[in-house]
Amino acid sequence: MRNLSVLLLDENVLDAKLNQDELQLHLQDYRCTFHLVTSKTEYHKILDTLAPDVVLSDYNLPSYTGLEALRDLKAKFPYTPFIFVTGTQQEEVAAQAIKEGAWDYVVKDRISRLAMAVQNALKLREEQLKNIEIQDAVAKSELRFRTLFNSASDAIFMMQGPTFIDCNTATEKIFGCTKDQIVGQNPILFSPPFQPSGLPSETAAHEKIQSALAGQPQFFEWQHIQYDGTPFDAEVSLNRLEIGNEIFIQAIVRDITQRKKSEIENKRLAMVANTTNNIVVIADSEGRIEWVNRAFTVITEYPFEEVIGKRPGTFLQGPETDLVQTQFMSQKLAQGQGFKDLEIINYTKRGKPYWVQIEVQPIHDASGRLIQFIAIESDVTERKKTQLALADREKRFRNLVQQSPVAVIEWDTNLNVLEWNEAAENIFGYARTEAVGRSVFGLILPAAPDPEIQRVADLLIEQKGGNRNTNKNTTKNGTTILCEWYNRPLTDEAGKTIGIVSMVEDITERVKAEIELKESELKFRQIIHSSPMGIYVYEVNEKNQLILVDTNPAADTLTGIRNVELIGKTIEEAFPGLRETDIPKYYLDAALHGTPWYTEDMYYDEGKITGAFQVYAFQAGHSRVAVMFLNITGRKQIEAAIKQKNEELLKINAELDSFVYSASHDLRAPIASLLGLVEVARLEKDNASLERLLDMQKRSLMKLDNFIHDIVSYSRNNRLDIQVEPIDFITLIEGIFEQLYFMDHLGYLDCRIVVAPTLNFHSDSKRITVVLNNLISNAIKYADISKPDPYVEVRVDKSPDGVTICVADNGDGIDEEHLPKIFDMFYRATQKSSGSGIGLYIVNEITQKMKGTLKVESIKRVGSKFFVNLPNLN
Ligand code: ADP
């Protein structure tokens, strides 16, 4: 239900009530409120506070006319329906009233029409109001469009066919002329003859306009010229408009000169941004990515499409990112502020952390509104790494200094303690807290400044030295210690000394040990020096060579050279004779592995010892070998002589043994047989038998004589010196054969003597006689007379150094097995022998004495040949 506010103007309240009832009755669609006024004053008053929907007024009022009331209402509410309700039925009055603007005229007699009149009036009013609204809206919209039209920054104009018919204010500005200069003109007036594409403007424009007219909206870039001919780049859109029955073209021209410029500028900037190694991010005012450069993708591994519209912090940060820093950034961005030099850990798409230094600039438009942020980020991972490594190194270095076994003390230039490490605490007994801040004087040096220490400090401060000094210091408990100081000036960047750092070592014990060592070394040296043994000391160098490092005077005496001159040389250089031997190997073994080596080294000449050394090599410290040696030539010579004598004695002893054996047999047998024969002869009376017995006795005695003769020869050979004389072999051999006349079967033998002429041979004739006597008597003794032509031959031939005597026979010969032994003393090779077995032994001895040689060739049952080669002793 709609509200309806009804104003009743009537001086007759009763009439008014009637009207009210009438309306109440018939206007049931409305919730009516009635306001009754009876005078002009009341009427005016209520209109000040109330806007009635309808006014019902009497036509004739006492001090106020209904027409006046109508006019007053119209002045205030021109569209509120005003209906006259009157008692008089007058056509003119009604006409007058309608003319004046009343909406209806109802006669009280026909009051039933009142409700209808009010309803009609309200309907009419509604339509009226609607029309007014529409008109208002049209007017407003027209105004708005005009304003829009004129306030647009783009040129907007209308064309009918090829002629401008209207344009906005921007058109004047863009084309540089007034509306009058445009309207009525052909657009070709504002284009150059040709477009940058090369096409004639007229043709191109015509084409575009025709297309637009055909209903295809056109949008293209165009080069225009201003009224004065200045060209400018524009973006043009053409649209066909149908207004009523007419067809227009609406053109919008935007001057894009500036945009073109900034496009180029932007391209250039983007190029720069893309070629830089720094990350460039452009974000909107909310911090959402609008653009990133190539370096961004290279470093973060995110392609542009993946990050556009995102806030960098949401995907770049990771576990090690510093939250304080990120909060700072968010806060700054939220406040629309930039920041600089912020360093933070970000993560690549694959999760690899990297350090960036970020600078963010807010970008504002002309009106000061925040539109973008530009972030430039440089990858500082390497620098950060170095920085962190440096910091880490510094920390480690600090620790090292603190834990260094060497005392480290830092001083200011006045020698006050700045730093004091643990080792300093240990050496000097002062805790760090006790030492820091105190002067060196009175702390570890006497309180009175020492000029020498001051001098060292001055040298250090002036950077001229003082880097090392040794002095006595006092510890907290008063002990004096000897310290070695290594000092360095600490400088600032300008090179000015700002302090001193010292490293201190307590060398008290070391110095003491050194002195002791020196003393013991001295003693040791003295021992070496006075040792009767020769000493060489070798050290193994890095090339595994033995270098002679020490020797002693005894070595000089023993070797006969000045060994000191060989010091520093390799063993092979010093003693080339050792090159081909294994000795350097043994020394190395001793030096490196501690394997001792011992030898006796001897040198011979013609079987005689000319030199002998006893050598001991043993490890003497790390990679060192000491070689001690003694000359033992004398001892060795004596030893050799004794050995020889011993061997001779042994031989003599053996000979003596043989002799005793032979003597018992060879001497006693003939004597026993002789004694027996003598007893038999004593009983024999027959002369012939006695004669036979005497013969037998004679043979026994001869045997005995032979033996004694042999022994005497042997003894003589040993005792007597060689007597050299010319030898006449023929006389000598013939003499021997003559002496052997008594031998049994000499008479059956062909005895031949062949002696080479002009021998001119000198030797010992007695010895040669003994030799030949033995050989010839054997040849006769062992002859085989059963052979057809038994013989004995003695030949003497010239040899290179003298003569060769050959005694040959074709007798029994000697068994091969006996041959090697026939020259032994008392050796008999056959049972047939009646001799003592000493003959060939004497032959051999004599031959050797005369520096000759003896040889035998014999075949059993064929014969024997004995060769004696004797040098000419002249
Ligand atoms: P013996 O007194 O036994 O002859 P020898 O020393 O003279 O002693 O000779 C040693 C041995 O050599 C003899 O016992 C004999 O067997 C053998 N012998 C030496 N000369 C000859 C020779 N001309 N023919 C054969 N045998 C010989």
Side-chain angles (χ1 to χ4, degrees):
M1 249 214 283
R2 287 165 61 188
N3 288 328
L4 189 69
S5 165
V6 182
L7 180 59
L8 302 161
L9 173 60
D10 207 328
E11 68 175 345
N12 187 340
V13 178
L14 219 61
D15 279 354
K17 279 278 180 212
L18 276 175
N19 294 341
Q20 188 178 328
D21 291 344
E22 182 62 28
L23 288 180
Q24 198 100 55
L25 189 66
H26 294 100
L27 294 179
Q28 284 183 352
D29 286 349
Y30 295 89
R31 196 184 299 118
C32 298
T33 358
F34 297 94
H35 308 274
L36 177 65
V37 287
T38 52
S39 65
K40 180 185 174 182
T41 326
E42 275 180 11
Y43 180 65
H44 277 199
K45 198 176 166 194
I46 200 161
L47 284 182
D48 283 342
T49 56
L50 181 78
D53 291 314
V54 62
V55 176
L56 304 182
S57 169
D58 197 354
Y59 193 76
N60 297 308
L61 292 162
S63 53
Y64 189 39
T65 69
L67 284 174
E68 278 174 326
L70 173 61
R71 282 185 212 120
D72 287 346
L73 180 73
K74 280 192 93 168
K76 217 159 192 179
F77 303 107
Y79 305 111
T80 304
F82 191 94
I83 298 172
F84 281 114
V85 185
T86 179
T88 45
Q89 169 74 44
Q90 290 171 324
E91 288 299 324
E92 310 85 66
V93 173
Q96 177 66 25
I98 297 300
K99 203 177 152 196
E100 284 281 338
W103 289 56
D104 211 342
Y105 187 92
V106 179
V107 182
K108 284 182 181 170
D109 296 347
R110 301 178 60 193
I111 199 70
S112 57
R113 218 181 63 85
L114 181 61
M116 181 69 88
V118 169
Q119 264 172 342
N120 285 341
L122 285 175
K123 219 178 188 176
L124 202 65
R125 183 194 159 218
E126 223 163 78
E127 271 170 23
Q128 221 171 32
L129 279 176
K130 243 183 219 157
N131 278 339
I132 289 163
E133 245 171 51
I134 287 166
Q135 275 169 19
D136 262 11
V138 168
K140 266 187 199 153
S141 141
E142 163 107 28
L143 188 72
R144 243 197 337 264
F145 278 115
R146 254 299 140 196
T147 317
L148 208 65
F149 187 59
N150 280 327
S151 64
S153 55
D154 296 338
I156 305 172
F157 46 82
M158 302 282 280
M159 289 189 292
Q160 197 162 30
T163 314
F164 290 122
I165 54 158
D166 191 8
C167 74
N168 67 349
T169 333
T171 311
E172 296 175 302
K173 211 174 126 207
I174 288 173
F175 288 93
C177 54
T178 61
K179 194 172 173 177
D180 301 340
Q181 288 167 322
I182 296 173
V183 173
Q185 295 298 336
N186 188 307
I188 208 66
L189 185 72
F190 294 94
S191 297
F194 293 95
Q195 284 301 300
S197 64
L199 277 179
S201 294
E202 197 167 354
T203 332
H206 179 74
E207 216 172 85
K208 301 274 181 202
I209 290 168
Q210 285 314 309
S211 301
L213 284 174
Q216 293 159 5
Q218 299 292 304
F219 187 74
F220 53 94
E221 278 191 14
W222 190 259
Q223 193 168 67
H224 271 298
I225 49 173
Q226 288 186 322
Y227 196 67
D228 65 0
T230 313
F232 67 92
D233 289 313
E235 210 168 61
V236 178
S237 76
L238 299 181
N239 281 294
R240 179 186 135 111
L241 287 184
E242 238 178 291
I243 300 170
N245 292 327
E246 290 181 299
I247 290 171
F248 302 92
I249 288 218
Q250 183 214 41
I252 302 172
V253 174
R254 175 173 290 180
D255 182 350
I256 57 165
T257 317
Q258 212 42 47
R259 199 186 77 193
K260 278 252 163 180
K261 250 193 218 162
S262 52
E263 255 175 26
I264 293 169
E265 191 79 351
N266 278 348
K267 254 185 206 163
R268 237 183 261 146
L269 282 176
M271 211 167 76
V272 171
N274 269 332
T275 49
T276 171
N277 287 330
N278 290 338
I279 292 176
V280 180
V281 177
I282 300 178
D284 64 14
S285 57
E286 301 289 310
R288 279 184 292 258
I289 294 176
E290 288 183 342
W291 184 86
V292 294
N293 70 342
R294 204 168 303 146
F296 176 91
T297 303
V298 171
I299 294 171
T300 68
E301 299 164 351
Y302 287 102
F304 173 54
E305 311 79 67
E306 255 179 59
V307 299
I308 180 165
K310 291 186 183 167
R311 287 198 173 84
T314 58
F315 61 94
L316 289 177
Q317 289 162 11
E320 296 212 10
T321 310
D322 185 347
L323 290 179
V324 178
Q325 301 275 51
T326 55
Q327 270 168 18
F328 170 80
M329 286 200 284
S330 314
Q331 201 182 327
K332 281 281 177 189
L333 296 182
Q335 290 165 359
Q337 291 174 359
F339 50 85
K340 246 182 112 161
D341 298 341
L342 184 131
E343 286 177 4
I344 194 163
I345 295 185
N346 277 346
Y347 288 81
T348 67
K349 191 175 174 183
R350 283 182 287 184
K352 198 178 130 209
Y354 62 92
W355 276 94
V356 277
Q357 189 183 51
I358 309 182
E359 176 173 349
V360 172
Q361 288 286 346
I363 307 291
H364 299 99
D365 65 6
S367 62
R369 199 167 50 95
L370 174 73
I371 49 166
Q372 278 175 331
F373 287 104
I374 293 189
I376 296 176
E377 308 177 9
S378 41
D379 184 344
V380 292
T381 312
E382 279 313 308
R383 198 197 73 208
K384 265 287 173 191
K385 260 193 206 157
T386 327
Q387 261 177 9
L388 290 175
L390 255 172
D392 187 49
R393 266 221 296 278
E394 163 131 2
K395 201 169 126 196
R396 266 190 290 172
F397 179 70
R398 284 260 150 236
N399 278 342
L400 205 76
V401 167
Q402 256 317 309
Q403 288 156 21
S404 156
V406 176
V408 180
I409 304 172
E410 205 181 313
W411 313 91
D412 65 13
T413 49
N414 294 321
L415 301 187
N416 295 317
V417 177
L418 294 175
E419 264 308 330
W420 186 266
N421 76 346
E422 225 176 276
E425 292 183 336
N426 294 338
I427 291 181
F428 298 109
Y430 291 102
R432 185 178 171 277
T433 43
E434 289 174 298
V436 168
R438 284 187 61 179
S439 163
V440 68
F441 301 111
L443 186 71
I444 54 170
L445 283 173
D450 178 342
E452 176 53 24
I453 298 296
Q454 196 53 58
R455 194 184 67 83
V456 172
D458 289 345
L459 281 173
L460 279 163
I461 291 164
E462 288 164 29
Q463 299 173 24
K464 284 180 184 163
N467 294 335
R468 202 171 153 179
N469 63 306
T470 306
N471 54 267
K472 283 180 182 166
N473 290 103
T474 315
T475 66
K476 190 181 176 186
N477 66 19
T479 316
T480 302
I481 55 171
L482 191 65
C483 292
E484 190 151 54
W485 291 77
Y486 299 88
N487 315 305
R488 283 278 176 285
L490 290 172
T491 53
D492 62 9
E493 278 177 6
K496 197 179 145 238
T497 307
I498 49 168
I500 295 166
V501 68
S502 300
M503 282 188 269
V504 201
E505 224 182 329
D506 176 359
I507 56 165
T508 321
E509 286 306 313
R510 200 180 75 196
V511 168
K512 218 163 94 185
E514 269 171 13
I515 292 168
E516 277 166 12
L517 188 75
K518 251 185 210 153
E519 278 171 1
S520 90
E521 225 173 55
L522 199 72
K523 267 186 228 157
F524 182 66
R525 278 227 62 80
Q526 276 166 356
I527 291 169
I528 287 185
H529 200 81
S530 49
S531 161
M533 289 185 103
I535 298 176
Y536 289 130
V537 180
Y538 296 97
E539 214 169 71
V540 182
N541 72 2
E542 67 288 348
K543 289 186 203 156
N544 240 22
Q545 294 170 314
L546 288 161
I547 307 293
L548 184 67
V549 293
D550 204 358
T551 175
N552 70 344
D556 289 2
T557 317
L558 290 173
T559 57
I561 50 173
R562 275 185 52 74
N563 289 294
V564 261
E565 285 166 12
L566 304 175
I567 284 180
K569 293 190 174 178
T570 65
I571 190 166
E572 291 85 0
E573 286 163 357
F575 306 107
L578 297 182
R579 258 183 226 276
E580 303 301 319
T581 71
D582 284 338
I583 292 172
K585 216 179 77 193
Y586 295 129
Y587 289 0
L588 261 180
D589 219 27
L592 300 175
H593 309 116
T595 321
W597 184 69
Y598 168 79
T599 190
E600 278 184 7
D601 206 11
M602 274 182 275
Y603 309 104
Y604 295 91
D605 188 20
E606 290 195 351
K608 283 222 159 57
I609 295 168
T610 55
F613 288 94
Q614 197 172 36
V615 183
Y616 301 89
F618 53 89
Q619 196 176 34
H622 178 68
S623 293
R624 269 174 164 243
V625 58
V627 180
M628 302 182 106
F629 62 100
L630 264 182
N631 188 340
I632 51 164
T633 316
R635 198 185 86 199
K636 282 286 160 187
Q637 279 169 339
I638 291 165
E639 274 175 15
I642 290 171
K643 196 174 157 206
Q644 201 188 342
K645 274 273 174 287
N646 230 3
E647 278 165 8
E648 279 170 26
L649 278 175
L650 279 173
K651 188 181 159 207
I652 288 167
N653 229 5
E655 285 169 357
L656 199 64
D657 272 356
S658 302
F659 178 74
V660 169
Y661 170 77
S662 292
S664 65
H665 183 266
D666 293 331
L667 287 178
R668 286 193 63 211
I671 288 171
S673 100
L674 207 58
L675 284 173
L677 286 173
V678 169
E679 285 306 312
V680 174
R682 209 190 288 273
L683 300 172
E684 192 59 69
K685 298 290 184 242
D686 179 33
N687 266 357
S689 300
L690 212 58
E691 188 82 12
R692 205 167 37 86
L693 284 172
L694 282 173
D695 266 357
M696 285 164 80
Q697 286 171 8
K698 185 186 167 190
R699 265 206 292 279
S700 282
L701 283 171
M702 274 173 68
K703 211 171 176 181
L704 210 56
D705 184 47
N706 272 339
F707 184 70
I708 291 164
H709 182 261
D710 285 347
I711 296 292
V712 169
S713 302
Y714 167 69
S715 161
R716 189 185 289 133
N717 177 49
N718 270 351
R719 276 184 295 108
L720 296 183
D721 291 336
I722 289 170
Q723 301 271 325
V724 178
E725 55 191 318
I727 305 294
D728 175 1
F729 278 106
I730 294 183
T731 316
L732 195 144
I733 295 164
E734 280 174 353
I736 290 168
F737 271 109
E738 270 167 31
Q739 276 177 23
L740 295 175
Y741 70 95
F742 61 87
M743 289 197 70
D744 274 350
H745 39 246
L746 180 62
Y748 303 101
L749 299 174
D750 177 15
C751 299
R752 309 171 196 159
I753 303 167
V754 187
V755 177
T758 61
L759 287 172
N760 191 21
F761 183 71
H762 292 72
S763 191
D764 187 328
S765 76
K766 286 207 177 75
R767 283 188 166 88
I768 290 178
T769 306
V770 173
V771 165
L772 284 175
N773 193 37
N774 271 296
L775 292 177
I776 292 168
S777 65
N778 277 349
I780 297 168
K781 209 190 308 174
Y782 301 108
D784 182 359
I785 51 166
S786 62
K787 281 184 181 167
D789 298 305
Y791 69 89
V792 174
E793 187 182 87
V794 183
R795 290 184 72 95
V796 182
D797 289 305
K798 232 187 163 100
S799 77
D801 59 341
V803 291
T804 303
I805 304 165
C806 174
V807 179
D809 64 65
N810 61 345
D812 293 339
I814 306 164
D815 254 345
E816 207 178 334
E817 55 170 322
H818 295 300
L819 272 178
K821 294 178 201 156
I822 55 172
F823 299 113
D824 290 354
M825 200 181 213
F826 303 124
Y827 190 85
R828 292 173 196 135
T830 168
Q831 291 299 320
K832 194 176 166 187
S833 166
S834 56
S836 57
I838 200 170
L840 285 181
Y841 174 75
I842 293 167
V843 170
N844 193 30
E845 287 286 298
I846 292 173
T847 314
Q848 277 182 19
K849 187 118 186 173
M850 292 198 295
K851 304 222 178 328
T853 56
L854 173 63
K855 234 170 64 182
V856 61
E857 289 172 9
S858 182
I859 301 167
K860 193 72 182 158
R861 282 184 290 277
V862 175
S864 310
K865 276 183 184 169
F866 287 86
F867 298 90
V868 183
N869 187 55
L870 292 174
N872 200 336
L873 298 180
N874 194 10

